């Protein structure tokens, strides 16, 4: 069982490294910091609750069941961190946010202190590593300690469920998906962990024995709920950036036909290569360099080449947009051939501006690159294709 719990803690904590990959930025962002704190505390709860950890802690301190208040205190701190995270997620005036955070910390700090005091006052000399909640369900002070930590955790998860239901109707996109995952994880915790714990304890009070609910059902359900919640916290923060990186990498590759045609032209100096350079940074450099090369080739544009290619595309049944792209690709290939061969610019000088240079974004450049690739594949732009001269 300890191995499963440690694995859940490792997977849970791994999501923190994704958000904390830029420590300087993360420390200045209360939302990122509170998210990481919640994930770390959740991982520590798993580590502390493992039977192997409990046995080691009990042996090191020389106090039977000392791992119990440690675990319950850690779980209460995790519950507090969830509420702090929700407060920072909602945002608002800084003074109001700070005041709400301190109230939450004070309430759960008092709860942790009460758990510790109750444990000190209790008679719990028999070490229990897996069934402490039910074994001591009728023991004075231990009974109150167990109920107190459960009620504190229940309060946090119920508030989280209510907030997720409310916000889920107000937001869209990945944020709504994240809230649904958080709600699912919280419900798994409420129904699979807390309800089973309450039921097993109540059965002990009634003279019955449903300990398996507390020892067998509750731990894996708590792990599943926590992992689902962490996915909900991390997903809206990480996935949009990941998708943007993926799109940037795709556009970078789709610009290759245009870049291959223009790389001989003078461009901005290439920054030093590094393995960690993001696709967005590489795409930005390639886009700037292509614009510089297009500006350098502008004197070689020949309107006659463009008009002939456009009329040929229209006769072939292409639409106006596709015909324009094909005409620009043909004119650009011809200009690159002339410039590479160091020919004189054609006369009279063209005043035509490529559509890709008149609009923002990478989309038009990508379409122009694809038009060049199609012209090369069809053979229509073969004579305009050049290679960088070797010097």
């Amino acid at each position: 069982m300890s191995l499963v719990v440690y694995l859940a803690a490792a997977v849970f904590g791994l999501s923190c490294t994704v958000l904390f990959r830029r420590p300087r930025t993360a420390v200045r962002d209360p939302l990122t910091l509170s998210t990481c704190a919640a994930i770390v505390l959740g991982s520590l709860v798993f580590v502390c609750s493992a039977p192997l950890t409990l046995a080691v802690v009990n042996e090191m301190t020389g106090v039977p069941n000392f791992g119990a208040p440690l675990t319950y205190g850690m779980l209460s701190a995790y519950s507090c961190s969830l509420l702090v995270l929700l407060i920072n997620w909602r945002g608002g005036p800084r003074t109001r946010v700070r005041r709400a955070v301190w109230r939450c910390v004070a309430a759960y700090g008092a709860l942790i202190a009460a758990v510790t005091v109750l444990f000190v006052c209790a008679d719990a000399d028999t070490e229990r590593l897996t069934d402490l909640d039910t074994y001591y369900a009728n023991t004075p002070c231990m009974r109150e300690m167990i109920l107190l930590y459960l009620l504190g955790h229940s309060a946090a998860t119920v508030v989280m469920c209510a907030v997720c239901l409310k916000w889920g109707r107000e937001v869209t996109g990945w944020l709504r998906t994240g809230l649904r995952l958080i709600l699912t994880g919280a419900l798994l915790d409420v129904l699979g962990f807390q309800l089973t714990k309450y039921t097993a304890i109540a059965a002990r009070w009634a003279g019955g024995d449903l300990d398996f609910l507390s020892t067998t059902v509750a731990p894996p359900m708590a792990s599943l709920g926590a992992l689902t919640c962490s996915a909900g916290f991390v997903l809206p923060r990480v996935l949009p950036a990941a998708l943007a990186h993926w799109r940037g990498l795709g556009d970078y590759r789709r610009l290759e036909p245009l870049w291959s045609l223009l790389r001989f032209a003078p461009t901005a100096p290439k920054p030093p290569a590094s393995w960690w350079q993001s696709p967005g940074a590489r795409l930005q450099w390639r886009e700037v360099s292509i614009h510089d090369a297009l500006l350098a080739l502008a004197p070689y544009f020949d309107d006659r080449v463009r008009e002939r290619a456009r009329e040929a595309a229209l006769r072939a049944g292409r639409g106006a947009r596709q015909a324009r792209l094909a005409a620009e690709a043909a004119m650009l290939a011809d200009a690159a051939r002339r410039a590479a061969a160091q020919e004189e610019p054609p006369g009279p000088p063209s005043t035509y501006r490529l559509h890709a240079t008149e609009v923002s974004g990478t989309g038009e450049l990508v379409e122009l690159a694809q038009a060049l690739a199609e012209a090369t594949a069809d053979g229509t732009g073969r004579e305009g294709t050049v290679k960088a001269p070797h010097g």
Side-chain angles (χ1 to χ4, degrees):
M1 179 177 175
S2 295
L3 180 61
V4 175
V5 175
Y6 289 146
L7 181 61
V11 174
F12 195 37
L14 187 61
S15 57
C16 179
T17 62
V18 177
L19 290 174
F20 217 70
R21 62 191 185 278
R22 295 177 179 174
R24 292 183 180 180
T25 304
V27 170
R28 292 194 295 267
D29 183 6
L31 180 56
T32 300
L33 194 60
S34 56
T35 303
C36 292
I39 293 174
V40 169
L41 287 172
S43 300
L44 290 176
V45 171
F46 285 130
V47 172
C48 292
S49 64
L52 180 60
T53 304
L54 293 173
V56 171
V57 168
N58 294 340
E59 183 179 357
M60 290 178 61
T61 59
V63 179
N65 301 310
F66 184 85
L70 176 64
T71 302
Y72 298 158
M74 198 66 68
L75 181 61
S76 299
Y78 171 62
S79 302
C80 178
S81 69
L82 293 177
L83 295 178
V84 171
L85 174 56
L86 290 175
I87 293 170
N88 283 314
W89 202 350
R90 183 170 184 174
R94 182 173 298 181
T95 53
R96 188 179 68 183
V97 170
R98 188 183 297 113
R99 191 182 306 116
V101 167
W102 279 113
R103 286 176 181 172
C104 184
V105 170
Y108 277 88
L111 188 149
I112 293 172
V115 166
T116 305
V117 170
L118 288 170
F119 176 76
V120 171
C121 295
D123 182 13
D125 294 334
T126 304
E127 184 181 57
R128 309 301 297 186
L129 300 179
T130 58
D131 62 345
L132 183 141
D133 288 348
T134 51
Y135 184 85
Y136 287 108
N138 291 307
T139 302
C141 291
M142 287 295 286
R143 173 183 56 221
E144 287 76 12
M145 181 191 74
I146 294 166
L147 278 179
L148 191 59
Y149 97 81
L150 282 174
L151 289 172
H153 186 54
S154 297
T157 50
V158 168
V159 170
M160 190 162 58
C161 288
V163 170
C164 289
L165 283 172
K166 179 182 178 182
W167 290 358
R169 294 189 292 266
E170 301 173 359
V171 298
T172 58
W174 290 114
L175 185 55
R176 173 179 286 183
T177 302
L179 288 172
R180 288 175 177 175
L181 284 172
I182 295 171
L183 178 61
T184 302
L187 290 175
L188 285 171
D189 190 290
V190 170
L191 300 177
F193 174 74
Q194 298 169 34
L195 186 59
T196 54
K197 287 281 187 179
Y198 286 128
T199 303
I201 292 171
R204 279 282 185 156
W205 292 346
D209 185 354
L210 294 177
D211 290 7
F212 76 95
L213 291 176
S214 177
T215 58
T216 305
V217 177
M221 293 301 291
S223 301
L224 182 59
L227 292 174
T228 306
C229 276
S230 69
F233 288 131
V234 172
L235 191 66
R237 308 290 306 280
V238 172
L239 195 57
L243 292 176
H245 281 302
W246 184 258
R247 286 192 298 268
L249 183 60
D251 288 342
Y252 181 85
R253 290 173 175 171
R254 284 190 289 271
L255 285 174
E256 181 61 30
L258 184 55
W259 176 236
S260 297
L261 182 75
L262 302 174
R263 64 175 60 186
F264 75 93
T267 62
K270 187 174 184 178
S274 54
W275 64 269
W276 51 265
Q277 192 175 38
S278 67
R282 285 184 286 174
L283 174 63
Q284 184 180 19
W285 176 82
R286 176 163 285 188
E287 185 179 355
V288 169
S289 298
I290 288 175
H291 277 288
D292 289 346
L294 292 176
L295 184 62
L297 289 183
Y300 293 91
F301 288 170
D302 192 336
D303 291 332
R304 294 167 297 181
V305 174
R306 178 174 53 82
E307 288 298 331
R308 285 197 301 267
R310 179 176 176 275
E311 291 172 3
L314 290 173
R315 286 195 302 270
R318 295 192 180 186
R321 182 182 181 83
Q322 294 302 317
R324 174 181 59 77
L325 286 169
E328 290 183 345
M331 182 180 68
L332 188 57
D334 178 74
R337 178 187 61 80
R338 291 175 182 271
Q342 298 183 351
E343 296 181 6
E344 290 295 327
S350 173
T351 58
Y352 184 81
R353 300 290 298 271
L354 293 172
H355 189 67
T357 62
E358 298 293 301
V359 296
S360 59
T362 314
E364 291 293 333
L365 283 178
V366 169
E367 290 187 349
L368 182 57
Q370 297 306 300
L372 275 169
E374 292 175 7
T376 301
D378 295 341
T380 57
R382 188 172 300 159
E383 67 179 28
T385 303
V386 296
K387 294 183 179 179
H390 297 283

